[in-house]
Short mmCIF file of all heavy atoms in Angstrom, two decimals:
data_model
loop_
_atom_site.label_atom_id
_atom_site.label_comp_id
_atom_site.label_asym_id
_atom_site.label_seq_id
_atom_site.Cartn_x
_atom_site.Cartn_y
_atom_site.Cartn_z
N THR B 13 7.56 -19.78 52.14
CA THR B 13 7.76 -20.32 50.77
C THR B 13 7.65 -21.88 50.80
O THR B 13 7.75 -22.53 51.88
CB THR B 13 9.17 -19.96 50.19
OG1 THR B 13 9.21 -20.32 48.85
CG2 THR B 13 10.26 -20.71 50.97
N GLY B 16 11.65 -26.27 47.83
CA GLY B 16 12.11 -26.23 46.44
C GLY B 16 12.17 -24.90 45.79
O GLY B 16 12.78 -24.79 44.71
N LYS B 17 11.52 -23.94 46.34
CA LYS B 17 11.42 -22.61 45.78
C LYS B 17 12.70 -21.79 46.04
O LYS B 17 13.54 -22.09 46.93
CB LYS B 17 10.25 -21.80 46.29
CG LYS B 17 8.90 -22.45 45.97
CD LYS B 17 8.57 -22.31 44.49
CE LYS B 17 7.13 -22.81 44.25
NZ LYS B 17 6.79 -22.80 42.80
N TYR B 18 12.89 -20.70 45.30
CA TYR B 18 13.98 -19.76 45.44
C TYR B 18 13.54 -18.56 46.17
O TYR B 18 12.44 -18.05 45.99
CB TYR B 18 14.47 -19.39 44.02
CG TYR B 18 15.45 -18.22 43.98
CD1 TYR B 18 16.80 -18.48 44.16
CD2 TYR B 18 15.01 -16.97 43.69
CE1 TYR B 18 17.64 -17.40 44.07
CE2 TYR B 18 15.89 -15.88 43.63
CZ TYR B 18 17.22 -16.15 43.78
OH TYR B 18 18.09 -15.03 43.64
N VAL B 19 14.41 -18.09 47.12
CA VAL B 19 14.04 -16.88 47.89
C VAL B 19 15.19 -15.90 47.91
O VAL B 19 16.37 -16.30 47.81
CB VAL B 19 13.59 -17.23 49.35
CG1 VAL B 19 12.29 -18.01 49.36
CG2 VAL B 19 14.71 -17.81 50.11
N GLU B 20 14.87 -14.68 48.02
CA GLU B 20 15.92 -13.58 48.23
C GLU B 20 15.50 -12.67 49.47
O GLU B 20 14.37 -12.38 49.65
CB GLU B 20 15.90 -12.66 47.04
CG GLU B 20 16.49 -13.23 45.74
CD GLU B 20 16.70 -12.25 44.64
OE1 GLU B 20 16.28 -11.09 44.83
OE2 GLU B 20 17.27 -12.64 43.59
N LEU B 21 16.51 -12.46 50.32
CA LEU B 21 16.36 -11.71 51.51
C LEU B 21 17.28 -10.46 51.39
O LEU B 21 18.41 -10.62 51.04
CB LEU B 21 16.73 -12.59 52.75
CG LEU B 21 16.16 -13.94 52.85
CD1 LEU B 21 16.65 -14.62 54.13
CD2 LEU B 21 14.67 -13.91 52.79
N ARG B 36 22.40 -16.57 60.82
CA ARG B 36 21.14 -17.37 60.84
C ARG B 36 20.83 -17.76 62.32
O ARG B 36 21.73 -18.25 63.00
CB ARG B 36 21.18 -18.59 60.01
CG ARG B 36 19.92 -19.47 59.92
CD ARG B 36 20.03 -20.40 58.78
NE ARG B 36 20.91 -21.50 59.06
CZ ARG B 36 21.06 -22.56 58.26
NH1 ARG B 36 20.31 -22.65 57.14
NH2 ARG B 36 21.93 -23.48 58.43
N LEU B 46 27.15 -16.57 58.83
CA LEU B 46 27.04 -17.13 57.47
C LEU B 46 28.18 -16.58 56.62
O LEU B 46 28.99 -17.35 55.99
CB LEU B 46 25.70 -16.85 56.85
CG LEU B 46 24.49 -17.55 57.51
CD1 LEU B 46 23.18 -16.99 56.89
CD2 LEU B 46 24.53 -19.03 57.47
N PRO B 61 26.15 -22.79 54.67
CA PRO B 61 25.98 -24.29 54.86
C PRO B 61 26.24 -25.12 53.64
O PRO B 61 26.70 -26.23 53.72
CB PRO B 61 24.59 -24.43 55.35
CG PRO B 61 23.88 -23.14 55.02
CD PRO B 61 24.83 -22.13 54.86
N ASN B 62 25.96 -24.58 52.47
CA ASN B 62 26.19 -25.41 51.21
C ASN B 62 25.95 -24.42 50.03
O ASN B 62 25.76 -23.21 50.21
CB ASN B 62 25.16 -26.60 51.12
CG ASN B 62 23.72 -26.08 51.41
OD1 ASN B 62 23.19 -25.29 50.57
ND2 ASN B 62 23.09 -26.63 52.41
N ASP B 63 26.09 -24.97 48.81
CA ASP B 63 26.09 -24.10 47.64
C ASP B 63 24.72 -23.66 47.23
O ASP B 63 24.56 -22.98 46.21
CB ASP B 63 26.84 -24.85 46.42
CG ASP B 63 26.13 -26.15 46.08
OD1 ASP B 63 25.08 -26.45 46.58
OD2 ASP B 63 26.73 -26.81 45.21
N ARG B 64 23.71 -24.05 47.96
CA ARG B 64 22.40 -23.41 47.71
C ARG B 64 22.31 -22.00 48.22
O ARG B 64 21.39 -21.23 47.82
CB ARG B 64 21.27 -24.28 48.39
CG ARG B 64 21.13 -25.66 47.86
CD ARG B 64 19.97 -26.40 48.42
NE ARG B 64 20.03 -26.54 49.89
CZ ARG B 64 19.42 -25.85 50.75
NH1 ARG B 64 18.47 -24.91 50.38
NH2 ARG B 64 19.52 -26.08 52.07
N PHE B 65 23.21 -21.64 49.08
CA PHE B 65 23.21 -20.29 49.64
C PHE B 65 24.25 -19.36 49.00
O PHE B 65 25.42 -19.84 48.76
CB PHE B 65 23.61 -20.35 51.19
CG PHE B 65 22.50 -20.90 51.98
CD1 PHE B 65 22.22 -22.28 51.99
CD2 PHE B 65 21.77 -20.12 52.85
CE1 PHE B 65 21.24 -22.89 52.75
CE2 PHE B 65 20.71 -20.63 53.68
CZ PHE B 65 20.48 -22.04 53.63
N PHE B 66 23.86 -18.15 48.66
CA PHE B 66 24.74 -17.25 47.96
C PHE B 66 24.41 -15.85 48.42
O PHE B 66 23.18 -15.59 48.67
CB PHE B 66 24.65 -17.40 46.44
CG PHE B 66 25.64 -16.66 45.65
CD1 PHE B 66 26.98 -16.97 45.70
CD2 PHE B 66 25.25 -15.56 44.91
CE1 PHE B 66 27.86 -16.26 44.97
CE2 PHE B 66 26.21 -14.85 44.22
CZ PHE B 66 27.57 -15.20 44.26
N ALA B 67 25.36 -14.94 48.52
CA ALA B 67 24.99 -13.53 48.88
C ALA B 67 25.87 -12.60 48.00
O ALA B 67 26.97 -12.97 47.57
CB ALA B 67 25.30 -13.31 50.30
N THR B 76 21.98 -8.90 49.33
CA THR B 76 20.96 -9.85 49.13
C THR B 76 21.50 -11.21 49.38
O THR B 76 22.47 -11.59 48.87
CB THR B 76 20.37 -9.77 47.68
OG1 THR B 76 19.94 -8.41 47.36
CG2 THR B 76 19.23 -10.73 47.48
N LEU B 77 20.80 -11.95 50.20
CA LEU B 77 21.05 -13.36 50.55
C LEU B 77 20.13 -14.16 49.73
O LEU B 77 18.85 -13.97 49.70
CB LEU B 77 20.93 -13.66 52.02
CG LEU B 77 21.10 -15.11 52.46
CD1 LEU B 77 22.63 -15.49 52.22
CD2 LEU B 77 20.71 -15.28 53.91
N LYS B 78 20.67 -15.06 48.90
CA LYS B 78 19.83 -15.85 48.03
C LYS B 78 19.92 -17.28 48.38
O LYS B 78 20.96 -17.86 48.65
CB LYS B 78 20.34 -15.64 46.54
CG LYS B 78 20.45 -14.25 46.14
CD LYS B 78 20.97 -14.09 44.73
CE LYS B 78 21.06 -12.55 44.38
NZ LYS B 78 21.41 -12.34 42.98
N ILE B 79 18.69 -18.01 48.44
CA ILE B 79 18.68 -19.41 48.74
C ILE B 79 17.94 -20.13 47.65
O ILE B 79 16.76 -19.80 47.33
CB ILE B 79 18.00 -19.66 50.12
CG1 ILE B 79 18.56 -18.77 51.16
CG2 ILE B 79 18.15 -21.14 50.52
CD1 ILE B 79 17.87 -18.82 52.58
N GLN B 80 18.59 -21.09 47.11
CA GLN B 80 18.05 -21.82 45.99
C GLN B 80 17.44 -23.17 46.54
O GLN B 80 17.96 -23.73 47.55
CB GLN B 80 19.01 -22.18 44.92
CG GLN B 80 19.60 -21.01 44.25
CD GLN B 80 20.74 -21.38 43.27
OE1 GLN B 80 21.50 -22.27 43.49
NE2 GLN B 80 20.77 -20.62 42.15
N ARG B 81 16.46 -23.71 45.90
CA ARG B 81 15.91 -25.04 46.18
C ARG B 81 15.72 -25.17 47.74
O ARG B 81 16.27 -26.07 48.41
CB ARG B 81 16.84 -26.18 45.67
CG ARG B 81 17.06 -26.03 44.18
CD ARG B 81 17.86 -27.20 43.71
NE ARG B 81 19.17 -27.29 44.38
CZ ARG B 81 20.26 -26.53 44.20
NH1 ARG B 81 20.22 -25.67 43.26
NH2 ARG B 81 21.39 -26.80 44.80
N THR B 82 14.98 -24.26 48.30
CA THR B 82 14.83 -24.27 49.77
C THR B 82 14.41 -25.61 50.35
O THR B 82 13.59 -26.29 49.75
CB THR B 82 13.83 -23.22 50.19
OG1 THR B 82 12.59 -23.35 49.46
CG2 THR B 82 14.37 -21.79 49.98
N GLU B 83 14.87 -25.83 51.60
CA GLU B 83 14.50 -27.04 52.33
C GLU B 83 13.85 -26.59 53.60
O GLU B 83 14.11 -25.55 54.11
CB GLU B 83 15.76 -27.85 52.53
CG GLU B 83 16.42 -28.30 51.26
CD GLU B 83 17.65 -29.12 51.48
OE1 GLU B 83 18.07 -29.30 52.71
OE2 GLU B 83 18.28 -29.62 50.49
N ASP B 86 15.89 -25.01 56.23
CA ASP B 86 16.38 -23.56 56.12
C ASP B 86 15.52 -22.67 56.87
O ASP B 86 15.86 -21.47 57.02
CB ASP B 86 16.32 -23.23 54.65
CG ASP B 86 17.21 -23.99 53.72
OD1 ASP B 86 18.19 -24.64 54.18
OD2 ASP B 86 16.91 -24.14 52.55
N SER B 87 14.46 -23.11 57.48
CA SER B 87 13.47 -22.26 58.26
C SER B 87 14.27 -21.73 59.42
O SER B 87 14.84 -22.46 60.26
CB SER B 87 12.32 -23.04 58.72
OG SER B 87 11.55 -23.48 57.58
N TYR B 90 16.77 -14.94 59.72
CA TYR B 90 18.03 -14.51 59.05
C TYR B 90 18.28 -13.07 59.41
O TYR B 90 17.49 -12.13 59.15
CB TYR B 90 17.99 -14.69 57.48
CG TYR B 90 17.99 -16.15 57.15
CD1 TYR B 90 16.85 -16.93 57.25
CD2 TYR B 90 19.16 -16.77 56.79
CE1 TYR B 90 16.84 -18.32 56.92
CE2 TYR B 90 19.21 -18.12 56.48
CZ TYR B 90 18.08 -18.87 56.56
OH TYR B 90 18.09 -20.22 56.33
N LEU B 112 12.08 -16.77 57.93
CA LEU B 112 11.82 -17.56 56.73
C LEU B 112 11.22 -18.90 57.17
O LEU B 112 11.79 -19.59 58.03
CB LEU B 112 13.14 -17.91 55.98
CG LEU B 112 13.04 -18.89 54.79
CD1 LEU B 112 12.11 -18.23 53.64
CD2 LEU B 112 14.38 -19.26 54.26
N VAL B 114 9.85 -22.41 55.58
CA VAL B 114 9.70 -23.28 54.38
C VAL B 114 8.71 -24.43 54.66
O VAL B 114 8.95 -25.21 55.56
CB VAL B 114 11.12 -23.84 53.98
CG1 VAL B 114 10.96 -24.65 52.73
CG2 VAL B 114 12.10 -22.76 53.74
#
Side-chain angles (χ1 to χ4, degrees):
Chain B
T13 191
K17 299 288 188 182
Y18 168 83
V19 296
E20 289 189 352
L21 312 179
R36 179 167 73 172
L46 295 175
N62 52 60
D63 61 7
R64 295 187 298 106
F65 288 74
F66 188 71
T76 304
L77 178 65
K78 307 180 181 189
I79 310 175
Q80 298 177 324
R81 304 184 304 281
T82 51
E83 300 177 357
D86 299 335
S87 297
Y90 289 80
L112 175 65
V114 182

